[in-house]
């Protein structure tokens, strides 16, 4: 009988995260203070982030960073997550490819985001922080931080992109159930939010705007810090627990991936599944391909420009070396809210510059078609974000059939879509469409 799921015991939870920067020949450039134009140092981030997180952000020497016992203990609620062979999907595609997926949807919050939320809250707790602010697009990160805040006893305020606040009411309910305060962004509670609403009264929000509001509130509130769910190096670090487990599980399956795929917004889940395997490519031991699957309507890796740019709309963040569409970029109101971000993290951006990874942009309708096929074959309704990885895996599986090659494909199922059913309703009713963005529009935002 064929094995469907490859499961590790709780003792198989990694004891360390993997810091890919230590092994990169070309290190990511340092973020820059927009005022002084000087590269940032860890202590520059202490007012905003927990001290240990700030040190992790700039660590270029230690390939392995120990996971605190208290965090590993909380990981046991849902980790190790299963590695699953997608036999039924393979059959439906009539492909010789072997397709595996790492199922991060089994976490209490339904996505991979809890992998970083738990350590971020933990490190803030030991610093004596009492309150944390954050932003959320689709609500996955907000729900993760809300749960982690309750687990470690810290109050959480979440600025949720307004279009998602309205499209995904149950994500809001989850956050509120775990005790977080949820504010639709842009809001009247911050100076940056009020400015956006004055200029554009009907604006439906973006992650860039929500980040500005969350940072502003953190800077103005005593004993309050800020937490970020993607983009930054320490977030990518925490997510490597995904790929480290997957390495052991692929060994159990007796195979090694030729292609590894993750959907791409700011880079957290893509980094998590990819970086542990990438270390073998950097060292010259393997030749795996890595594909970041992003929305065609927000194509920062495929059509953006590499430059120093703000991570938010108002310009509160340091300047980050990234592939970007411009921090004023207004993404289309697609349902994959977690991918509606203008820039890519500095590590992923450097790896793409050095041709270690590639990117693929996928139209919205193709992603939902892939999500439906996955649900009908593998039984799991995927989050709209995850459907981008599935669509990319399907493209590669079809290519393997055309070439007559037995590729091994691994993708990260970053989350389930059980609170995204309004998006599926719209797709099934024929009410969704693809969004195209012209080169002239991208150029306008990059110059803005």
């Amino acid at each position: 009988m064929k094995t469907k799921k490859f499961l590790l015991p709780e003792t198989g939870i990694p004891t360390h995260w993997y810091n890919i920067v230590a092994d990169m020949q070309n290190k990511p450039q340092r973020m820059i203070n927009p005022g002084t134009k000087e590269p940032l140092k860890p202590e520059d981030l202490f007012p905003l982030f927990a001290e240990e997180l700030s040190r992790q952000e700039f660590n270029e020497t230690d390939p392995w960073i120990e996971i605190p016992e208290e965090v590993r203990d909380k990981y046991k609620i849902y980790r190790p997550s299963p590695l699953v062979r997608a036999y039924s999907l393979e059959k439906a595609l009539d492909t010789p490819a072997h397709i595996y997926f790492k199922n991060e949807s089994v976490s209490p919050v339904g996505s991979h985001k809890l992998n970083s939320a738990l350590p971020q809250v933990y490190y803030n707790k030991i610093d004596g922080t009492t309150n944390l602010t954050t932003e959320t697009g689709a609500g996955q990160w907000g729900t993760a931080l809300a749960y982690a805040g309750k687990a470690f006893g810290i109050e959480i305020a979440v600025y949720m992109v307004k279009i998602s606040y309205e499209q995904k009411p149950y994500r809001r309910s989850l956050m509120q159930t775990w005790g977080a305060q949820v504010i639709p962004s842009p809001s009247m509670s911050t100076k940056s939010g009020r400015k956006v609403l004055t200029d554009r009264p009907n604006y439906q929000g973006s992650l860039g705007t929500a980040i500005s509001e969350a940072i502003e509130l953190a800077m103005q509130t005593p004993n309050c810090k800020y937490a970020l769910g993607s983009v930054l190096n320490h977030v990518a670090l925490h997510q490597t627990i995904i790929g480290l487990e997957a390495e052991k599980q692929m060994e159990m399956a007796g195979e090694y991936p030729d292609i590894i795929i993750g959907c791409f917004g700011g880079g957290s889940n893509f980094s998590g599944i990819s970086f542990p395997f990438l270390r073998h490519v950097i060292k010259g031991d393997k030749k795996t391909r890595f594909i970041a699957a992003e929305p065609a309507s927000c194509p920062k890796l495929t059509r953006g420009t590499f430059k120093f740019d703000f991570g938010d709309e108002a310009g509160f963040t340091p300047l980050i070396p990234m592939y970007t569409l411009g921090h004023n970029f207004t993404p289309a109101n697609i349902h994959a809210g977690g991918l509606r971000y203008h820039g890519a993290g500095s590590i992923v951006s450097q790896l793409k510059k050095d041709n270690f990874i590639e990117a693929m942009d996928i139209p919205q309708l193709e992603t939902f078609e892939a999500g439906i096929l996955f649900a009908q074959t593998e039984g799991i309704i995927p989050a709209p974000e995850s459907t981008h990885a599935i669509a990319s895996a399907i493209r590669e599986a079809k290519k393997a059939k055309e070439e007559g090659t037995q590729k091994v494909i691994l993708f990260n199922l970053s989350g389930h879509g059980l609170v995204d059913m309004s998006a599926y309703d719209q797709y099934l009713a024929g009410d969704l469409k693809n969004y195209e963005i012209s080169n002239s529009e991208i150029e306008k935002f990059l110059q803005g």
Side-chain angles (χ1 to χ4, degrees):
M1 192 170 163
K2 295 183 294 189
T3 302
K4 176 71 173 169
K5 295 192 302 296
F6 298 89
L7 304 171
L8 293 169
E10 283 183 5
T11 53
I13 297 173
T15 57
H16 292 70
W17 294 298
Y18 170 59
N19 177 22
I20 195 172
V21 180
D23 289 330
M24 290 169 66
Q25 190 173 353
N26 296 329
K27 312 291 187 195
Q29 294 169 265
R30 286 276 178 110
M31 293 185 286
I32 288 176
N33 182 319
T36 65
K37 306 298 183 199
E38 292 292 319
L40 288 186
K41 302 181 292 296
E43 50 269 30
D44 294 331
L45 295 183
F46 288 177
L48 207 54
F49 293 102
E51 290 189 14
E52 176 57 24
L53 295 172
S54 302
R55 281 187 275 271
Q56 289 175 4
E57 185 65 28
F58 294 98
N59 190 321
E60 297 183 346
T61 55
D62 301 317
W64 300 101
I65 293 174
E66 189 172 0
I67 303 173
E69 195 57 46
E70 295 87 342
V71 174
R72 287 187 79 228
D73 198 50
K74 294 283 192 270
Y75 277 162
K76 288 178 185 174
I77 297 167
Y78 64 105
R79 304 215 70 85
S81 66
L83 178 79
V84 186
R85 174 79 182 269
Y87 289 111
S88 298
L89 179 61
E90 292 170 13
K91 186 178 177 184
L93 296 171
D94 189 27
T95 177
H98 292 182
I99 305 173
Y100 294 84
F101 64 93
K102 185 74 165 135
N103 187 1
E104 291 295 299
S105 77
V106 299
S107 84
V109 301
S111 83
H112 71 292
K113 292 291 188 179
L114 198 52
N115 299 331
S116 186
L118 287 167
Q120 287 197 49
V121 175
Y122 168 76
Y123 288 125
N124 274 284
K125 180 74 171 178
I126 62 175
D127 274 4
T129 304
T130 57
N131 294 68
L132 276 173
T133 68
T134 196
E135 73 295 320
T136 195
Q140 304 263 27
W141 170 244
T143 54
L145 200 70
Y147 173 78
K150 189 52 66 180
F152 285 113
I154 284 185
E155 295 296 317
I156 307 293
V158 182
Y159 284 91
M160 187 174 186
V161 175
K162 188 174 287 181
I163 184 70
S164 293
Y165 185 91
E166 292 162 358
Q167 284 179 342
K168 303 176 191 294
Y170 292 119
R171 286 248 190 266
R172 187 196 331 154
S173 301
L174 286 169
M175 289 181 253
Q176 291 167 337
T177 298
W178 281 313
Q181 181 186 3
V182 189
I183 308 106
S185 172
S187 75
M188 295 298 287
S189 69
T190 64
K191 185 178 177 182
S192 54
R194 289 192 294 274
K195 182 180 186 308
V196 170
L197 287 171
T198 301
D199 295 342
R200 291 175 281 178
N202 298 317
Y203 185 48
Q204 291 297 289
S206 70
L207 273 171
T209 302
I211 290 170
S212 297
E213 293 207 87
I215 290 175
E216 184 180 332
L217 182 64
M219 291 191 304
Q220 293 177 347
T221 308
N223 218 24
C224 182
K225 296 280 179 80
Y226 168 70
L228 189 65
S230 193
V231 182
L232 292 182
N233 297 4
H234 67 265
V235 184
L237 172 76
H238 303 153
Q239 293 296 349
T240 58
I241 195 166
I242 302 170
L244 292 168
E245 287 180 2
E247 263 195 303
K248 298 178 188 176
Q249 291 163 316
M250 289 300 303
E251 205 173 307
M252 292 166 68
E255 301 208 83
Y256 194 89
D258 298 299
I259 302 166
I260 294 178
I261 301 168
C263 64
F264 197 88
S268 67
N269 95 90
F270 174 78
S271 303
I273 191 72
S274 298
F275 287 0
F277 290 94
L278 245 168
R279 80 182 191 273
H280 304 300
V281 177
I282 290 171
K283 291 172 181 176
D285 300 330
K286 298 286 184 183
K287 292 192 182 304
T288 309
R289 284 174 62 210
F290 299 89
I291 302 172
E294 63 183 5
S297 58
C298 197
K300 79 278 289 184
L301 287 175
T302 48
R303 296 172 64 192
T305 296
F306 184 88
K307 68 172 193 171
F308 280 87
D309 197 9
F310 290 107
D312 71 320
E313 192 164 337
F316 288 146
T317 71
L319 290 164
I320 304 169
M322 56 159 65
Y323 278 96
T324 179
L325 295 166
H327 64 277
N328 292 316
F329 178 74
T330 305
N333 292 333
I334 59 169
H335 275 280
L339 308 187
R340 296 172 68 248
Y341 184 65
H342 67 273
S346 63
I347 300 176
V348 173
S349 293
Q350 187 63 49
L351 290 166
K352 182 168 186 299
K353 251 183 102 178
D354 293 339
N355 297 314
F356 281 107
I357 68 166
E358 53 194 273
M360 183 183 286
D361 61 328
I362 305 176
Q364 178 165 243
L365 294 180
E366 184 182 342
T367 67
F368 274 93
E369 183 184 345
I372 295 279
L373 178 61
F374 186 76
Q376 291 177 351
T377 52
E378 296 299 322
I380 301 169
I381 297 174
E385 291 79 14
S386 304
T387 60
H388 290 69
I390 297 167
S392 177
I394 288 172
R395 285 187 185 184
E396 292 299 322
K398 287 179 175 177
K399 196 186 297 180
K401 181 183 178 182
E402 289 165 16
E403 295 170 353
T405 54
Q406 195 187 74
K407 297 286 186 187
V408 177
I409 300 168
L410 168 65
F411 72 86
N412 196 28
L413 181 72
S414 58
H416 67 64
L418 295 178
V419 283
D420 297 291
M421 294 315 297
S422 63
Y424 282 92
D425 285 345
Q426 285 184 262
Y427 174 75
L428 293 167
D431 292 336
L432 291 186
K433 62 179 182 177
N434 291 326
Y435 293 90
E436 298 295 328
I437 179 159
S438 68
N439 289 332
S440 61
E441 284 177 288
I442 291 174
E443 196 56 39
K444 181 187 76 174
F445 284 113
L446 283 169
Q447 290 173 355

